[in-house]
Amino acid sequence: MNATKTSHSRMRVTEVEEFLKNPPDGFSVEELSSGHRVHSDPEKSLVLIDDFNSCRREIVFLNSVGRKVQMQNLWEYTSMRKSLLSKRIYLLMSACEENFSVNDKKAANEARVLKQFVVSIDGNDPFIKWQMEKGLDWSISSVAGESYRVDIDLTEIMENWAVKNSSVITDKLTKVQPVWRDASFTLKYYSDALFDFAHWFGFSKRKFSLRLT
């Protein structure tokens, strides 16, 4: 199955298996006995994917910085911001189905993974770039003297995509409204401020969402 594209390639959604078989430009896949190693060009792509398992095989994106990015100084923040606003950003997301049919409350709250997707958004797209700049500027008033955490959320984007691509997510005749796992990434900045009370008490957490239209 080919990747699905939305809004002039602002976003691409590709099943993990398809991504490994036919990696996009700038990526190559090395097959090992234990799984796959995925190579990418860090000059063109910003990969925010943690190691994971698919079909009992380990998948490692060698040049990934992980879904939760930690920064210790202004230079690291500036570098990450530049990458977010200029490169295609790659994330791993899981479409899940909540289990409401069991009596066990704990089991009912657990979501069954239907499919895993590699989702990419074009950080250099004018509309995405504008949202990212606006969200970062709103979230971070002063990165030099205060620690913070900001979550960039893509849940709404994936929910809208799922409505139009339900057959991609499940082969069932009945439509499933998936719950999206890991449909966000996180930036964490740690300052060297001696008394960082806002961070200690959780007051410096921020969140903003991205849209395609």
Side-chain angles (χ1 to χ4, degrees), residues 79-92:
S79 178
M80 175 54 58
R81 182 184 175 112
K82 182 179 178 181
S83 293
L84 289 169
L85 300 176
S86 62
K87 300 177 182 179
R88 182 163 282 275
I89 304 163
Y90 289 81
L91 299 157
L92 176 76

Side-chain angles (χ1 to χ4, degrees), residues 16-17 20 34-36 49-61 92 94 113 115-116 181:
V16 167
E17 293 77 8
L20 296 174
S34 59
H36 297 83
I49 298 177
D50 298 323
D51 298 350
F52 67 100
N53 290 308
S54 178
C55 300
R56 299 183 180 179
R57 306 192 75 186
E58 186 179 29
I59 314 299
V60 178
F61 283 75
L92 176 76
S94 300
V113 175
K115 282 186 182 178
Q116 291 178 301
R181 181 185 298 171

Side-chain angles (χ1 to χ4, degrees), residues 38-84:
V38 183
H39 303 261
S40 60
D41 183 356
E43 296 299 319
K44 298 180 180 179
S45 304
L46 177 60
V47 182
L48 305 175
I49 298 177
D50 298 323
D51 298 350
F52 67 100
N53 290 308
S54 178
C55 300
R56 299 183 180 179
R57 306 192 75 186
E58 186 179 29
I59 314 299
V60 178
F61 283 75
L62 291 178
N63 293 319
S64 173
V65 296
R67 197 170 60 84
K68 296 182 179 180
V69 183
Q70 296 187 11
M71 300 161 290
Q72 302 289 342
N73 52 57
L74 189 57
W75 182 88
E76 291 181 355
Y77 164 76
T78 303
S79 178
M80 175 54 58
R81 182 184 175 112
K82 182 179 178 181
S83 293
L84 289 169

Side-chain angles (χ1 to χ4, degrees), residues 43-180:
E43 296 299 319
K44 298 180 180 179
S45 304
L46 177 60
V47 182
L48 305 175
I49 298 177
D50 298 323
D51 298 350
F52 67 100
N53 290 308
S54 178
C55 300
R56 299 183 180 179
R57 306 192 75 186
E58 186 179 29
I59 314 299
V60 178
F61 283 75
L62 291 178
N63 293 319
S64 173
V65 296
R67 197 170 60 84
K68 296 182 179 180
V69 183
Q70 296 187 11
M71 300 161 290
Q72 302 289 342
N73 52 57
L74 189 57
W75 182 88
E76 291 181 355
Y77 164 76
T78 303
S79 178
M80 175 54 58
R81 182 184 175 112
K82 182 179 178 181
S83 293
L84 289 169
L85 300 176
S86 62
K87 300 177 182 179
R88 182 163 282 275
I89 304 163
Y90 289 81
L91 299 157
L92 176 76
M93 301 185 192
S94 300
C96 303
E97 181 181 21
E98 288 184 320
N99 190 352
F100 298 111
S101 61
V102 294
N103 294 324
D104 187 335
K105 187 174 182 180
K106 181 179 180 181
N109 291 330
E110 293 179 353
R112 181 174 66 90
V113 175
L114 297 170
K115 282 186 182 178
Q116 291 178 301
F117 298 91
V118 176
V119 178
S120 71
I121 57 172
D122 184 3
N124 195 41
D125 175 86
F127 186 60
I128 297 293
K129 189 173 184 176
W130 173 76
Q131 292 179 82
M132 194 80 73
E133 286 181 316
K134 183 180 178 181
L136 291 174
D137 290 343
W138 167 78
S139 302
I140 308 158
S141 58
S142 174
V143 297
E146 179 183 346
S147 299
Y148 69 90
R149 165 182 173 151
V150 54
D151 296 320
I152 296 90
D153 188 69
L154 285 79
T155 302
E156 182 180 345
I157 290 178
M158 297 311 300
E159 288 176 344
N160 292 336
W161 176 86
V163 171
K164 301 176 182 178
N165 296 274
S166 58
S167 61
V168 176
I169 297 171
T170 177
D171 297 328
K172 294 181 179 179
L173 294 178
T174 56
K175 289 187 177 181
V176 174
Q177 184 175 353
V179 176
W180 289 95

